[in-house]
Amino acid sequence: MSTTTTRPRFATRALLLHLATVALVVLLCTGVYLVLAVQQLRAEAESTALGIARTLAEDPQVRDEVARISAADEVPDPDDLRTGALQRLASDVSDRTGALFVVIADEDGIRLAHPTPSRLGQLVSTPFAEVLAGNEVVDWQTGTLGESARAKVPVLDEAGIPVGEVSVGFERTGVFDDLPPLLAVIGAAAAGALTLALLAFLLLRRRWERLTLGVQPEELVALVQNQAAVLNGVDDGVFAVDTAGVVRVSNDSADRLLGLEATVGRPLADLALPDAVVKTATGAPATSSAVVNDRVLYLDSRPVIRDGRPLGHVLIIRDRTDLVALTERLETVRAVTAALRVQRHEFANRMHVVAGLIDAARVDDARGFLDELVERGSVAFPVAGLDLLSDPFLHSFLGAKGIEAGERGVSLRIADESQLLGSVAEPEDVASVVGNLVDNAVTAAVAGTRIPRWVEVAVLGDGDALVVTVADSGQGLAGIDPLSPRPPGEDDPDRVHGRGLGIPLARDIARRSGGDLWVIDGGGDEHGAVFAARLGGAVTDTPMTEENP
């Protein structure tokens, strides 16, 4: 779905929903306010009517006149009532207060005062029994003058007995005269609220598009789905950091490789990561390597830019521990294979000698040659003291390393104090660790200036652990940290003693078995660096023999 078709549709829906919500809220508030306003106007009208009726009913002249007429036996004359004091008093009160009517009646309900003179002397049109019982009545009723808010108050004689009533009413239209202006104010407020809602929506949409870089909600859903599928579907770690140094993306592989939990939203500086990871995550340098939690990691940083705006960096984390370990083991296999090839070639040559002696009928010489061959072994490796190692694996492996070292002009020898009573139980780990140390020592000896060039290996058994020390004739470490890996691709012709990834990886292999790898001596006047490694569980108690292979 393209942006040009999605954006207007979403904007329209959001605008309509926003305005509809605001309109509904305004409508509800307006309705509630109108109900309260009408109730207030009704209450004010009723209160005003009741106050006027009470005042008039307590007037001495009204009380005396109503009591006199109620006590008389004959019906009051309407003509007398039109010119009477009660009519004049009621008219004056009606004119002053703006009331629709002011009506005075006797105990029989006969009108003694009324806005319409022709109705004087007639019975009132609304019930009056409750008032004559001494109660005040406030209500909206419909009489001869129409619907009105009216209050009825009893008129009491000197003994306090009700002898009539005073009824005051206000016309409905008069009560709600203030309602239209109120509606106009409410309408203006509602229009203002809708206008503010529209402006707020426009600002929010602008802010939203700025934060989402113009990506619409439908596209965001697809992006989230694709991101979840891609990030959690690859073995490489993906670790994204914004320009403020805050982690924004970290997939499961990245958390596992870096040994982190709940990293998203946290500053990079608070994660206690190695400096190589922190620097590469911010783009300086673009590529690097690091050993984190016994894993060899290759790091590749790439900047993220959208519409010319830098958003941060994405760090691709690749685990190369198994690959580097496999490379070390393949190198070991290659060395052993080369040694076996040399053995085969030497054995073939000796068989040719035996065959020649037999063909020449020199059977005794042939038998003596074979006896010597059995005693010395099939191949004489160029490693001094190799016979001190009874383990077949170490014998063949260090013999092959001796052949390789001899090809580079370095003599490999076994230290006189070497002693191993058992046999190697973990040949792969031993080959990786010992082979790496020996290869580095040979490289150091070749790079050194001492003559002759040599490498000395001491092998000792310590229970089920194998302890190996390797010394060389090189120039030593010269202040180099042997356990600090150099970024891949950085060329250095003098790279020796762990300036790559071999030594850190060998150390991790040793530590996984409960051992370790360390530097005994960084080098001196008589020798170069001396390394030591201890591999737990690498030796069995029973030596390997022909009967017990």
Side-chain angles (χ1 to χ4, degrees):
M1 185 176 294
S2 64
T3 303
T4 55
T5 58
T6 302
R7 183 177 300 173
R9 213 165 37 239
F10 166 73
T12 302
R13 290 199 305 268
L15 176 61
L16 292 177
L17 179 61
H18 190 79
L19 293 180
T21 303
V22 174
L24 180 60
V25 172
V26 171
L27 181 62
L28 291 175
C29 293
T30 302
V32 172
Y33 189 79
L34 282 177
V35 170
L36 295 177
V38 169
Q39 291 179 349
Q40 183 178 0
L41 292 175
R42 290 171 61 98
E44 290 179 355
E46 293 172 354
S47 176
T48 302
L50 180 60
I52 296 173
R54 285 176 175 174
T55 301
L56 193 58
E58 293 175 357
D59 185 270
Q61 185 178 1
V62 173
R63 294 176 63 181
D64 293 341
E65 189 66 19
V66 172
R68 183 186 63 79
I69 296 175
S70 297
D73 295 334
E74 67 277 1
V75 178
D77 184 10
D79 294 334
D80 294 338
L81 295 175
R82 291 188 187 97
T83 59
L86 294 178
Q87 180 67 8
R88 290 194 305 272
L89 184 59
S91 298
D92 293 341
V93 172
S94 179
D95 294 340
R96 288 197 309 269
T97 60
L100 175 63
F101 61 84
V102 176
V103 176
I104 301 175
D106 62 8
E107 61 183 0
D108 296 325
I110 302 301
R111 298 187 181 101
L112 305 180
H114 195 274
T116 305
S118 60
R119 298 184 183 275
L120 292 173
Q122 298 179 4
L123 188 66
V124 296
S125 59
T126 57
F128 58 92
E130 185 176 357
V131 180
L132 292 179
N135 299 319
E136 294 179 345
V137 177
V138 180
D139 199 0
W140 287 75
Q141 295 180 350
T142 302
T144 56
L145 298 178
E147 185 180 8
S148 60
R150 61 183 64 191
K152 297 180 180 180
V153 177
V155 178
L156 307 178
D157 59 10
E158 293 180 355
I161 299 173
V163 292
E165 69 170 3
V166 174
S167 177
V168 178
F170 286 90
E171 189 178 6
R172 183 182 186 87
T173 56
V175 172
F176 298 111
D177 285 343
D178 296 334
L179 199 56
L182 185 61
L183 290 176
V185 173
I186 295 175
L194 293 177
T195 303
L196 290 177
L198 179 61
L199 293 177
F201 168 76
L202 295 176
L203 293 176
L204 286 175
R205 185 176 68 174
R206 181 179 177 182
R207 176 64 174 171
W208 190 342
E209 292 183 354
R210 182 179 179 183
L211 291 176
T212 60
L213 304 177
V215 180
Q216 299 302 302
E218 293 84 354
E219 296 173 316
L220 286 175
V221 173
L223 285 176
V224 171
Q225 293 174 344
N226 295 337
Q227 174 181 312
V230 172
L231 293 182
N232 296 321
V234 297
D235 294 332
D236 293 344
V238 180
F239 193 76
V241 182
D242 63 13
T243 55
V246 178
V247 179
R248 295 304 179 188
V249 176
S250 181
N251 65 350
D252 295 339
S253 297
D255 291 341
R256 175 177 55 82
L257 294 175
L258 297 178
L260 302 175
E261 292 182 0
T263 57
V264 177
R266 297 172 59 186
L268 184 63
D270 296 344
L271 299 181
L273 293 172
D275 292 339
V277 178
V278 175
K279 293 179 180 179
T280 309
T282 55
T287 59
S288 180
S289 64
V291 178
V292 180
N293 298 328
D294 299 337
R295 311 297 295 180
V296 178
L297 306 180
Y298 281 4
L299 310 174
D300 184 8
S301 178
R302 302 176 184 178
V304 180
I305 300 175
R306 183 179 176 90
D307 297 333
R309 175 186 173 190
L311 303 178
H313 289 80
V314 173
L315 183 66
I316 307 300
I317 306 172
R318 297 182 177 91
D319 186 2
R320 291 296 180 263
T321 304
D322 296 335
L323 179 60
V324 174
L326 181 60
T327 301
E328 295 286 342
R329 292 173 181 175
L330 288 177
E331 183 65 21
T332 301
V333 173
R334 187 193 64 79
V336 174
T337 302
L340 291 176
R341 184 165 49 250
V342 172
Q343 286 184 340
R344 178 183 177 279
H345 181 72
E346 182 68 18
F347 182 77
N349 290 338
R350 293 183 178 184
M351 289 300 101
H352 284 300
V353 173
V354 173
L357 292 175
I358 293 176
D359 291 341
R362 299 171 59 182
V363 177
D364 292 338
D365 293 337
R367 181 179 296 278
F369 181 79
L370 289 175
D371 291 339
E372 182 182 358
L373 181 63
V374 171
E375 182 180 354
R376 292 190 310 169
S378 58
V379 176
F381 288 112
V383 179
L386 189 60
D387 293 340
L388 296 174
L389 301 179
S390 60
D391 179 73
F393 171 77
L394 283 177
H395 190 280
S396 299
F397 178 70
L398 290 177
K401 288 295 182 181
I403 295 175
E404 290 184 348
E407 294 175 352
R408 302 180 65 182
V410 180
S411 62
L412 179 65
R413 67 192 185 208
I414 306 301
D416 294 338
E417 62 270 18
S418 295
Q419 184 180 20
L420 180 64
L421 300 179
S423 60
V424 174
E426 298 292 340
E428 292 184 350
D429 291 345
V430 172
S432 296
V433 175
V434 177
N436 192 279
L437 292 176
V438 172
D439 290 342
N440 286 345
V442 172
T443 302
V446 172
T449 58
R450 293 189 178 95
I451 301 296
R453 298 182 175 94
W454 54 266
V455 173
E456 184 178 80
V457 179
V459 180
L460 299 171
D462 183 13
D464 66 346
L466 178 68
V467 180
V468 179
T469 63
V470 180
D472 59 68
S473 62
Q475 299 301 312
L477 298 178
I480 300 172
D481 183 3
L483 300 179
S484 177
R486 178 165 292 192
E490 184 175 332
D491 191 15
D492 185 354
D494 297 327
R495 183 187 300 177
V496 294
H497 287 313
R499 296 177 70 181
L501 294 173
I503 288 296
L505 179 61
R507 180 193 60 179
D508 294 335
I509 294 175
R511 287 181 174 178
R512 284 201 297 268
S513 66
D516 203 352
L517 186 150
W518 66 96
V519 178
I520 297 178
D521 191 346
D525 296 335
E526 297 180 358
H527 59 79
V530 181
F531 283 78
R534 176 186 175 89
L535 289 88
V539 178
T540 60
D541 295 335
T542 305
M544 185 178 294
T545 62
E546 294 181 357
E547 293 78 10
N548 184 26

